[in-house]
Amino acid sequence: MMISTKGRYALRVLTDMAEHQTEGYIPLKEIAKRQEISEKYLESIVKALVKGGVLSGLRGKGGGYRLRGTPDQYTVGGILRLTEEGLAPVACLEAGAEPCARAAGCRTLRMWQGLDKVIREYLDGYTIADLMQADQPGDFYVI
């Protein structure tokens, strides 16, 4: 599994929008400029997020996009499932995959299922609100 730019940019865009949510509807042009993402590419990302019910849009003067809910309602896993073709580590675990004829005798299936569970739980454990938090000070120091 490799997360595409579409998925990574969707997380950046939603975090940006959450940080500016008090401004109402935000024009794509502003988000594209702040995030240094092509406005054209951003349109395809936003389209998926509107279709998935994460964003609402308003046309015309004062228009743009905004979150439909609060940042803590959207998990990273949920957003990536909207923007990526899949998050499963192997094809047989993808949503809607045909049952594998070898599943009954597959010695690696349990391991792949475990990895899939870890991935889902980890990504679903982070929300857009979590991404808004500034990095916590750690053990980083300079001598």
Side-chain angles (χ1 to χ4, degrees):
M1 168 194 74
M2 180 165 306
I3 306 300
S4 70
T5 55
K6 188 174 184 178
R8 295 192 324 265
Y9 288 179
L11 295 172
R12 284 176 42 194
V13 164
L14 290 174
T15 303
D16 182 286
M17 293 179 84
E19 290 170 341
H20 293 91
Q21 64 188 340
T22 59
E23 299 170 20
Y25 286 93
I26 304 168
L28 278 184
K29 186 177 226 169
E30 289 180 21
I31 300 166
K33 184 177 180 182
R34 280 193 300 259
Q35 293 300 315
E36 299 177 341
I37 300 171
S38 154
E39 194 173 342
K40 184 100 170 138
Y41 191 45
L42 190 55
E43 287 173 6
S44 69
I45 294 169
V46 167
K47 183 178 179 180
L49 297 172
V50 168
K51 185 178 177 183
V54 176
L55 298 178
S56 60
L58 180 67
R59 293 179 184 255
K61 185 171 173 78
Y65 293 90
R66 70 175 183 182
L67 290 173
R68 292 183 66 125
T70 60
D72 63 333
Q73 292 177 295
Y74 304 108
T75 67
V76 169
I79 300 306
L80 292 177
R81 282 188 282 281
L82 285 175
T83 57
E84 300 295 315
E85 290 186 22
L87 298 176
V90 289
C92 64
L93 296 179
E94 289 291 347
E98 292 292 322
C100 178
R102 297 185 48 130
C106 181
R107 294 177 183 252
T108 61
L109 181 58
R110 192 171 73 225
M111 184 257 323
W112 292 125
Q113 289 170 329
L115 178 60
D116 185 50
K117 181 180 177 193
V118 168
I119 291 168
R120 282 184 284 110
E121 288 175 354
Y122 182 81
L123 295 176
D124 288 338
Y126 275 93
T127 66
I128 297 302
D130 295 325
L131 299 180
M132 292 170 63
Q133 301 300 315
D135 290 338
Q136 298 297 317
D139 294 333
F140 303 106
Y141 59 92
V142 178
I143 297 177

